């Protein structure tokens, strides 16, 4: 993608104000944060912390920018500076609590949140940011807020309402908390309250648009984004949410997919042009490209970002993902190894191990790859699909018992398991059984037959392959043809019925011949019915002249018909 260049400041403007940074205030910094112009906000705030070192708010908002950009260590340093500037700084204690919460240090989070509330007095902002902190999802770490976090956010924000019910940011945050739990009516109430308090709030209008987006009410969502843009034509988040709405629209209505994907890309380019084109805003674009499945553009964008002097290590995650999807496994493995080895445990997400495992397997490092896929599941048990990938790998390597176990685990733990997966489980266990080994595990046959039986009892129409494999499984018990028991007889008969009813094809003939040959042997030795034996062996020979059982039968001379 051709990235839009930054707009240069006119030299004439600098003559009158001396320095654009020095003329900017905390209000300008807050506006930049809302507009996701994080580099601009940091520039203003770094200057303010130097020129106004006793104002703790300056430190808080700088720390907040670091927090939402996933630089929690830097944020903690700045929040502590804010506490030094003002030991009773409710906002900076709130910031320290948020960082501790993100670091899963619950005791420190609670302690700092308590200090924030104790020092808040009649200021509702500490409540706002504690609430936002509970809702904060660091980049790449999922899209769903845990119910416990959402409830904690609602509780503290509700307390904030008692302090100042007219705080627009507080009402929007409450709406976000309810929306995160799909409580749309409650969310709409607080978003509407925010708009009523300040009809010119671009943030609140965009929030309502996002609510409509998740309700798949795309037309009304677009109207809200357009309204926000009419309020502030340079409000980038409106274009970003519009882009993500168009993408969701494309996925929901396939007929409009091509048009909406293009519009989404255009809206995102507009969003980027209105931000400061920082590494962080471009990484958010990278997240959008993952959502859109545009891995070609992602790889190009990530490669460009990786060459920047200010590269965020997270770029290597995008390089790894995109390289895998584009078949560039060596480059992908190098990138993922760099990311996982250097990022630190707090920044690693389950999907990172998923892609590492895929890249390792694609690079011939199967055992390491399977370990990585299992690690992805250990970190996130919703990633049960990894067992399907593990099973396919084992099956391809002819490690059939392990493949069967992996398919069984996938079926048990995933909601996506279907009858095809049961079939793969059954065939894996069947192939794992070694009939030449006198100590062969007969439980493998039991597991195989159980999988096939499930399909037989669940499928709406009979499946020939299932009947055939059930016959194969039971046929293994009848290898002593002189003392045949007929375990496989009903399954071979079922197979013959299914195939002959639908019409025999060339592909069916060899297996059909084997079924008739088994029945011939059954009637020859078990029933002593020479007529039926000859009839079945004749059918086997007609279908497959090379069938060894039929050849052997006729080589000896078919017995006279009749018992």
């Amino acid at each position: 993608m051709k990235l839009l260049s930054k707009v240069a400041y006119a030299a004439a403007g600098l003559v009158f104000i001396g320095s654009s940074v020095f003329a900017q205030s905390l209000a300008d910094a807050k506006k930049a944060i809302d507009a996701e112009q994080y580099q601009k906000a940091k520039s203003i705030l770094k200057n303010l912390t130097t020129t106004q070192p006793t104002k703790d708010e300056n430190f808080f908002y700088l720390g907040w920018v670091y927090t939402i950009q996933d630089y929690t260590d830097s944020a903690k340093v700045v929040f502590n500076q804010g506490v030094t500037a003002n030991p009773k700084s409710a906002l900076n204690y709130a910031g320290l609590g948020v960082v501790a919460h993100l670091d899963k240090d619950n005791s420190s989070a609670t302690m700092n949140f308590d200090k924030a509330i104790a020092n808040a007095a009649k200021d509702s902002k500490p409540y706002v940011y504690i609430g936002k902190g509970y809702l904060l999802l660091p980049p790449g770490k999922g899209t769903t807020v845990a119910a416990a976090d959402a409830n904690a956010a609602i509780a503290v924000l509700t307390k904030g309402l008692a302090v100042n019910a007219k705080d627009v940011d507080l009402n929007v945050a409450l709406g976000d908390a309810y929306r995160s739990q799909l409580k749309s009516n409650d969310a709409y109430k607080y978003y509407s309250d925010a708009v009523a308090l300040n009809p010119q709030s671009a943030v609140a209008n965009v929030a309502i648009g996002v609510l409509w987006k998740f309700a798949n009410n795309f037309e009304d969502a677009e109207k809200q984004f357009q309204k926000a843009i009419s309020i502030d034509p340079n409000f980038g988040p409106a274009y970003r949410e519009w882009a993500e709405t168009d993408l969701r629209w494309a996925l929901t209505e396939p007929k409009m997919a091509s048009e909406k994907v293009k519009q989404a890309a255009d809206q995102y380019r507009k969003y980027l042009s209105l931000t400061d084109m920082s590494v962080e805003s471009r990484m958010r674009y990278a997240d959008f490209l993952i959502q859109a499945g545009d891995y070609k553009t992602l790889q190009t964008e990530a490669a460009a970002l990786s060459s920047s002097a200010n590269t965020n290590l997270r770029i290597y995650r995008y390089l790894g993902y995109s390289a895998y999807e584009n078949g560039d496994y060596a480059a992908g493995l190098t990138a993922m190894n760099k990311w996982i080895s250097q990022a630190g445990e707090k920044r690693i997400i389950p999907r990172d191990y998923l892609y590492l495992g895929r890249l390792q397997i694609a690079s011939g490092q199967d055992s390491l790859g399977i370990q990585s896929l299992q690690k992805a599941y250990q970190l996130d048990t919703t990633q049960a699909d990894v067992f399907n990938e593990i099973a396919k790998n084992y099956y391809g390597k002819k490690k059939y018992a392990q493949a069967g176990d992996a398919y069984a685990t996938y079926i048990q733990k995933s909601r996506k398991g279907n009858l095809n997966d049961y079939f793969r489980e059954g065939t894996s266990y069947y192939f794992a059984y070694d009939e030449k080994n006198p100590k062969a595990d007969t439980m493998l046959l039991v597991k195989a037959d159980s999988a096939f039986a499930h399909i037989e009892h669940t499928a709406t129409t009979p499946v020939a392959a299932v009947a055939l494999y059930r016959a194969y499984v039971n046929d293994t018990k009848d290898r002593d043809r002189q003392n045949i028991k007929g375990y496989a007889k009903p399954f071979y008969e079922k197979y013959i019925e299914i195939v002959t009813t639908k019409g025999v094809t060339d592909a069916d003939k060899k297996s059909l011949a084997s079924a008739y040959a088994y029945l011939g042997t059954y009637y020859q030795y078990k029933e002593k019915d020479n007529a039926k034996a000859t009839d079945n062996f004749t059918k086997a020979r007609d279908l497959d002249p090379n069938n060894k059982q039929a050849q052997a039968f006729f080589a000896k001379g078919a017995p006279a018909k009749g018992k």
Side-chain angles (χ1 to χ4, degrees), residues 346-365:
K346 291 188 295 185
R347 301 180 72 189
I348 302 300
I349 60 175
R351 188 168 57 180
D352 295 337
Y353 284 104
L354 180 64
Y355 271 95
L356 176 64
R358 289 170 174 171
L359 285 160
Q360 288 168 328
I361 289 172
S363 302
Q365 301 175 17

Short mmCIF file of all heavy atoms in Angstrom, two decimals, residues 346-365:
data_model
loop_
_atom_site.label_atom_id
_atom_site.label_comp_id
_atom_site.label_asym_id
_atom_site.label_seq_id
_atom_site.Cartn_x
_atom_site.Cartn_y
_atom_site.Cartn_z
N LYS A 346 4.76 -11.41 28.91
CA LYS A 346 3.53 -10.61 29.03
C LYS A 346 2.96 -10.22 27.68
O LYS A 346 1.76 -9.99 27.55
CB LYS A 346 3.80 -9.35 29.86
CG LYS A 346 4.07 -9.60 31.33
CD LYS A 346 4.14 -8.32 32.12
CE LYS A 346 5.31 -7.46 31.71
NZ LYS A 346 5.44 -6.25 32.55
N ARG A 347 3.81 -10.13 26.66
CA ARG A 347 3.34 -9.66 25.36
C ARG A 347 2.99 -10.80 24.40
O ARG A 347 2.42 -10.56 23.34
CB ARG A 347 4.41 -8.77 24.71
CG ARG A 347 4.76 -7.54 25.54
CD ARG A 347 5.81 -6.69 24.86
NE ARG A 347 5.27 -5.99 23.70
CZ ARG A 347 6.03 -5.31 22.84
NH1 ARG A 347 7.34 -5.26 22.99
NH2 ARG A 347 5.46 -4.69 21.82
N ILE A 348 3.31 -12.02 24.78
CA ILE A 348 3.03 -13.16 23.91
C ILE A 348 1.57 -13.58 24.06
O ILE A 348 1.03 -13.62 25.16
CB ILE A 348 3.95 -14.35 24.26
CG1 ILE A 348 5.42 -13.94 24.15
CG2 ILE A 348 3.67 -15.54 23.35
CD1 ILE A 348 5.83 -13.47 22.78
N ILE A 349 0.93 -13.89 22.94
CA ILE A 349 -0.45 -14.34 22.96
C ILE A 349 -0.51 -15.76 22.39
O ILE A 349 0.41 -16.20 21.69
CB ILE A 349 -1.37 -13.40 22.15
CG1 ILE A 349 -0.92 -13.33 20.67
CG2 ILE A 349 -1.39 -12.01 22.77
CD1 ILE A 349 -1.86 -12.51 19.79
N PRO A 350 -1.58 -16.51 22.68
CA PRO A 350 -1.68 -17.89 22.21
C PRO A 350 -1.50 -18.03 20.70
O PRO A 350 -0.88 -18.98 20.22
CB PRO A 350 -3.08 -18.31 22.65
CG PRO A 350 -3.33 -17.49 23.87
CD PRO A 350 -2.69 -16.15 23.59
N ARG A 351 -2.04 -17.09 19.94
CA ARG A 351 -1.95 -17.18 18.48
C ARG A 351 -0.50 -17.13 18.00
O ARG A 351 -0.17 -17.65 16.94
CB ARG A 351 -2.76 -16.05 17.84
CG ARG A 351 -2.89 -16.17 16.32
CD ARG A 351 -3.92 -15.22 15.76
NE ARG A 351 -3.64 -13.84 16.09
CZ ARG A 351 -4.39 -12.81 15.73
NH1 ARG A 351 -5.49 -13.03 15.02
NH2 ARG A 351 -4.08 -11.58 16.07
N ASP A 352 0.39 -16.51 18.79
CA ASP A 352 1.81 -16.49 18.42
C ASP A 352 2.36 -17.91 18.38
O ASP A 352 3.10 -18.28 17.47
CB ASP A 352 2.61 -15.65 19.41
CG ASP A 352 2.23 -14.18 19.37
OD1 ASP A 352 1.70 -13.73 18.33
OD2 ASP A 352 2.47 -13.47 20.37
N TYR A 353 2.02 -18.71 19.39
CA TYR A 353 2.48 -20.10 19.40
C TYR A 353 1.80 -20.92 18.31
O TYR A 353 2.40 -21.86 17.77
CB TYR A 353 2.23 -20.72 20.77
CG TYR A 353 3.21 -20.26 21.82
CD1 TYR A 353 2.84 -19.33 22.79
CD2 TYR A 353 4.53 -20.73 21.82
CE1 TYR A 353 3.75 -18.90 23.74
CE2 TYR A 353 5.44 -20.29 22.76
CZ TYR A 353 5.05 -19.37 23.72
OH TYR A 353 5.96 -18.93 24.65
N LEU A 354 0.58 -20.54 17.96
CA LEU A 354 -0.12 -21.22 16.87
C LEU A 354 0.66 -21.05 15.57
O LEU A 354 0.94 -22.03 14.86
CB LEU A 354 -1.53 -20.65 16.74
CG LEU A 354 -2.42 -21.24 15.64
CD1 LEU A 354 -2.71 -22.70 15.92
CD2 LEU A 354 -3.72 -20.45 15.55
N TYR A 355 1.05 -19.81 15.27
CA TYR A 355 1.80 -19.57 14.04
C TYR A 355 3.22 -20.11 14.12
O TYR A 355 3.77 -20.61 13.12
CB TYR A 355 1.80 -18.08 13.70
CG TYR A 355 0.61 -17.69 12.85
CD1 TYR A 355 -0.54 -17.18 13.43
CD2 TYR A 355 0.63 -17.86 11.47
CE1 TYR A 355 -1.65 -16.84 12.67
CE2 TYR A 355 -0.47 -17.53 10.69
CZ TYR A 355 -1.60 -17.02 11.29
OH TYR A 355 -2.69 -16.70 10.52
N LEU A 356 3.83 -20.04 15.30
CA LEU A 356 5.17 -20.62 15.45
C LEU A 356 5.11 -22.11 15.15
O LEU A 356 5.97 -22.65 14.42
CB LEU A 356 5.69 -20.38 16.87
CG LEU A 356 7.05 -21.03 17.19
CD1 LEU A 356 8.14 -20.42 16.32
CD2 LEU A 356 7.38 -20.87 18.67
N GLY A 357 4.11 -22.79 15.70
CA GLY A 357 3.98 -24.22 15.45
C GLY A 357 3.77 -24.54 13.99
O GLY A 357 4.38 -25.47 13.44
N ARG A 358 2.92 -23.75 13.33
CA ARG A 358 2.68 -23.98 11.90
C ARG A 358 3.97 -23.79 11.09
O ARG A 358 4.27 -24.55 10.17
CB ARG A 358 1.61 -23.02 11.40
CG ARG A 358 0.22 -23.34 11.92
CD ARG A 358 -0.76 -22.23 11.60
NE ARG A 358 -2.14 -22.56 11.97
CZ ARG A 358 -3.15 -21.70 11.95
NH1 ARG A 358 -2.94 -20.43 11.59
NH2 ARG A 358 -4.36 -22.09 12.29
N LEU A 359 4.69 -22.75 11.45
CA LEU A 359 5.94 -22.48 10.73
C LEU A 359 6.98 -23.56 10.99
O LEU A 359 7.72 -23.96 10.07
CB LEU A 359 6.49 -21.10 11.15
CG LEU A 359 5.74 -19.90 10.56
CD1 LEU A 359 6.02 -18.64 11.38
CD2 LEU A 359 6.14 -19.68 9.10
N GLN A 360 7.04 -24.05 12.21
CA GLN A 360 7.99 -25.12 12.52
C GLN A 360 7.66 -26.39 11.76
O GLN A 360 8.54 -27.03 11.20
CB GLN A 360 8.00 -25.37 14.04
CG GLN A 360 8.68 -24.25 14.83
CD GLN A 360 8.44 -24.36 16.32
OE1 GLN A 360 7.39 -24.83 16.76
NE2 GLN A 360 9.40 -23.91 17.11
N ILE A 361 6.38 -26.73 11.72
CA ILE A 361 5.96 -27.93 10.98
C ILE A 361 6.25 -27.75 9.49
O ILE A 361 6.77 -28.67 8.82
CB ILE A 361 4.47 -28.22 11.23
CG1 ILE A 361 4.27 -28.71 12.67
CG2 ILE A 361 3.93 -29.24 10.23
CD1 ILE A 361 2.83 -28.85 13.08
N ALA A 362 5.94 -26.57 8.95
CA ALA A 362 6.18 -26.31 7.53
C ALA A 362 7.67 -26.33 7.21
O ALA A 362 8.05 -26.58 6.05
CB ALA A 362 5.59 -24.96 7.13
N SER A 363 8.50 -26.10 8.22
CA SER A 363 9.96 -26.10 8.03
C SER A 363 10.59 -27.43 8.38
O SER A 363 11.83 -27.55 8.45
CB SER A 363 10.59 -24.99 8.88
OG SER A 363 10.05 -23.72 8.55
N GLY A 364 9.77 -28.45 8.64
CA GLY A 364 10.29 -29.78 8.93
C GLY A 364 10.61 -30.04 10.39
O GLY A 364 11.15 -31.09 10.73
N GLN A 365 10.26 -29.09 11.26
CA GLN A 365 10.54 -29.26 12.69
C GLN A 365 9.25 -29.74 13.38
O GLN A 365 8.67 -29.06 14.22
CB GLN A 365 11.03 -27.94 13.30
CG GLN A 365 12.29 -27.41 12.65
CD GLN A 365 12.69 -26.04 13.19
OE1 GLN A 365 12.24 -25.60 14.23
NE2 GLN A 365 13.55 -25.35 12.44
#
